[in-house]
Amino acid sequence: ISIAIIIAIQLISIAHSRTVVTGISIAITIAIQLIRVVHIRTVVTDISIAIIITIQLISIAHSRTVVTDISIAITITIQLIRVAHSRTVVTGISIAITIAIQLIRVAHIRTVVTDISIAITITIQLIRVASHQDSCHRHLHSHHHRYPIDQHCSQQDSC
């Protein structure tokens, strides 16, 4: 998609072996909602210039990155709910004023959020995020003073 004012994408129950949403060049508002996607590669990638980007991924089973390569945006909101994966969840955001990332019930083996280059405000909220070793709870609580992440863990949850 080259130039657009509003891009709204809603995909439900997709079984795909490659990228689901990719190659958006210039847009004012981008709203992407993906529900129950089963795939082996990236879900959302390669968004060049946008003012407002909203990405909501619900019940995603995959083995690679979920959101990657967003170049320039004013506001980016990413919400990942019930994501099971073995690689990075959010990576490669170059320039943004405000970034809000919410991860709810994410089971992962590698990095959750990485490679954000330039941003004024970054908010990351982790709710019940667990690694393959189930050590997230101990790691987040033992390093809470060095990494101020808004977390909602109970003693019963792995994190």
Side-chain angles (χ1 to χ4, degrees), residues 11-32:
L11 301 174
I12 300 173
S13 295
I14 303 296
H16 198 276
S17 64
R18 295 187 184 220
T19 303
V20 177
V21 178
T22 185
I24 300 172
S25 294
I26 301 171
I28 294 188
T29 301
I30 300 171
I32 300 170

Side-chain angles (χ1 to χ4, degrees), residues 38-95:
V38 179
H39 64 90
I40 60 170
R41 293 201 183 175
T42 304
V43 177
V44 179
T45 185
D46 194 23
I47 299 173
S48 295
I49 301 171
I51 293 177
I52 299 170
I53 300 173
T54 303
I55 300 170
Q56 185 179 44
L57 307 176
I58 302 170
S59 295
I60 308 295
H62 66 91
S63 65
R64 297 207 182 164
T65 303
V66 175
V67 179
T68 183
D69 297 330
I70 299 173
S71 296
I72 300 171
I74 303 294
T75 301
I76 301 172
T77 303
I78 301 170
Q79 185 179 43
L80 306 176
I81 302 171
R82 292 186 307 275
V83 176
H85 65 91
S86 64
R87 301 247 176 130
T88 304
V89 175
V90 179
T91 185
I93 299 173
S94 296
I95 301 170

Side-chain angles (χ1 to χ4, degrees), residues 101-137:
I101 300 171
Q102 186 177 43
L103 306 173
I104 302 171
R105 297 184 66 182
V106 176
H108 70 92
I109 295 175
R110 295 190 183 176
T111 307
V112 175
V113 178
T114 183
D115 195 24
I116 298 174
S117 298
I118 301 169
I120 293 176
T121 302
I122 301 173
T123 302
I124 300 173
Q125 185 178 39
L126 305 175
I127 302 172
R128 294 186 66 185
V129 177
S131 70
H132 68 289
Q133 298 169 342
D134 208 23
S135 61
C136 177
H137 184 270

